[in-house]
Amino acid sequence: MNAPSSTASARSGLAVGLCTYKRLDSLLRLLDHIAESAKALPERPTIIVVDNDGQDPAVGLAMGAFASRTGLDLRYRIEAHPGISAARNAVFDEAEKLRVRFVAMIDDDEWPSPDWLAALLRRQAEKGAAVVGGPVRPVFPDDAARLERYARYWSVQKQFLEGKPFVFCTCNFLIDLDAAGSVPRPFFDEAFGLSGGGDTVFFRRLFYAGLPMAWSEEAFVYEEVPPSRASLKWMRQRRFRVGNHAVRWESLDAGPRRSLAKTLGLTARLAIYPLLRREPESPFLGWLLEMDKVRGRFKAHLGGVFVEYARPKPAEGAAAAKPGGPPAHENDHACG
């Protein structure tokens, strides 16, 4: 759909949007923390929950119970079309109906600090930014404390693009929909719905449209790292995925030839990468992860796409329901 007409009613207020898939327990934890963060605001936000599953009636019942208990306005929507892009677009479709000015987003396996929402809004007002991002701090299981020294690899930290602050992830950000009024809708490309990487495409589009971005270290959130992701093996796969998706959005921006040239340059740099000390606390691990990223890039150049949000086939779902069976689906970190 097209951007809203300038003659439409003025936007006001804040909505907190989140997408969920088969994570009721962590969703309820998140909502309780959002309610706590909302206490610091002069006006209560609306909460938009988009369920990309819709098969569990307990989710809708829990959303109604939460709204009754807290008095917060919660809009619960089932988005049957699979994929993270469809779910994110549904959040903003609801925000358009509400005519809110600001939308903050967070993932269903995270929980915010008490000052989260206030800090995002403060930074937006200070900088006049269209987009404000904040850090994500991982919380490892007790038996994975050894990974604390490598926490930076699981975290989201401040980044720059062309020397300017660059917000790149939907897992912790605020957007001013007034400032983004001319950006075509829907925001998120369905081509990245199951693979992931669509949020980077979205934020690059905003950045190159000239929308100013800012960062707030005070607006931090925590992310639960489940046992399935608390390993260097998982992180190597994540870096492979990052490289694979990077080629796809780079090719949209500048064409496949420039993306291939970048891949060749990164490949040549591997020979001296440890000397660059980009990861001084773990230079060998940094080199290994960089190599995995390059491997992912070459897979993309050859036409391979890493699919992150695949849905289980019926037989897989049945197997997962058996005691001891593998999980039917793990909705990975939505920053991608």
Side-chain angles (χ1 to χ4, degrees), residues 167-334:
V167 178
F168 62 96
C169 186
T170 57
C171 56
N172 181 8
F173 89 107
L174 174 84
I175 185 168
D176 179 351
L177 291 180
D178 272 352
S182 63
V183 178
R185 272 64 163 174
F187 280 154
F188 297 93
D189 191 339
E190 284 287 348
F192 293 84
L194 295 178
S195 67
D199 52 353
T200 303
V201 174
F202 166 65
F203 287 115
R204 287 176 68 89
R205 186 154 51 115
L206 298 183
F207 182 89
Y208 286 113
L211 274 66
M213 298 184 175
W215 186 262
S216 172
E217 284 294 332
E218 292 74 31
F220 60 89
V221 306
Y222 298 99
E223 180 195 7
E224 178 182 4
V225 180
S228 59
R229 287 192 265 146
S231 69
L232 295 179
K233 179 181 178 181
W234 180 88
M235 180 50 60
R236 292 189 63 188
Q237 177 178 276
R238 166 50 61 106
R239 283 303 178 97
F240 181 93
R241 171 257 199 209
V242 167
N244 186 259
H245 295 170
V247 167
R248 298 177 67 206
W249 49 254
E250 287 169 2
S251 297
L252 290 175
D253 288 346
R257 289 186 178 181
R258 289 189 64 178
S259 182
L260 178 58
K262 181 174 179 178
T263 299
L264 295 175
L266 292 174
T267 303
R269 193 180 68 172
L270 283 173
I272 62 168
Y273 190 83
L275 302 177
L276 301 177
R277 307 293 292 180
R278 291 169 65 92
E279 297 89 5
E281 77 281 9
S282 53
F284 175 73
L285 177 58
W287 175 85
L288 192 63
L289 295 175
E290 184 72 5
M291 182 184 69
D292 289 323
K293 184 175 75 174
V294 170
R295 287 176 49 243
R297 293 180 67 91
F298 275 110
K299 180 180 175 70
H301 290 305
L302 295 173
V305 175
F306 185 94
V307 177
E308 184 162 6
Y309 300 100
R311 297 298 175 91
K313 298 177 182 178
E316 293 173 341
K322 298 177 181 178
H329 173 88
E330 181 185 348
N331 182 16
D332 207 344
H333 196 297

Side-chain angles (χ1 to χ4, degrees), residues 125-146:
E126 291 168 359
K127 294 292 186 180
V131 176
V132 180
V136 178
R137 301 175 179 177
V139 177
F140 295 100
D142 292 340
D143 61 357
R146 69 193 183 282

Side-chain angles (χ1 to χ4, degrees), residues 29-167:
R29 176 186 62 192
L30 167 59
L31 289 173
D32 284 340
H33 281 82
I34 290 174
E36 188 65 27
S37 184
K39 292 179 180 178
L41 303 180
E43 296 182 16
R44 289 186 167 192
T46 298
I47 301 175
I48 302 170
V49 176
V50 173
D51 184 353
N52 204 204
D53 176 43
Q55 300 302 306
D56 185 359
V59 180
L61 292 173
M63 297 304 97
F66 170 83
S68 297
R69 174 168 55 86
T70 62
L72 290 171
D73 181 12
L74 187 146
R75 308 297 176 96
Y76 174 64
R77 170 169 168 171
I78 294 173
E79 175 52 62
H81 186 74
I84 192 64
S85 292
R88 289 167 176 158
N89 286 331
V91 167
F92 282 97
D93 182 56
E94 291 297 315
E96 293 289 355
K97 294 175 183 177
L98 292 167
R99 298 298 297 163
V100 294
R101 178 178 174 184
F102 298 104
V103 176
M105 287 196 75
I106 190 169
D107 286 353
D108 66 350
D109 58 348
E110 298 175 338
W111 62 96
S113 54
D115 197 41
W116 175 57
L117 290 171
L120 286 173
L121 290 167
R122 277 199 307 270
R123 196 61 170 166
Q124 189 282 328
E126 291 168 359
K127 294 292 186 180
V131 176
V132 180
V136 178
R137 301 175 179 177
V139 177
F140 295 100
D142 292 340
D143 61 357
R146 69 193 183 282
L147 296 176
E148 290 285 354
R149 63 177 296 196
Y150 305 120
R152 67 194 298 269
Y153 297 118
W154 277 263
S155 66
V156 175
Q157 300 174 340
K158 186 176 183 179
Q159 288 198 10
F160 293 88
L161 181 61
E162 298 180 0
K164 299 177 182 178
F166 177 57
V167 178

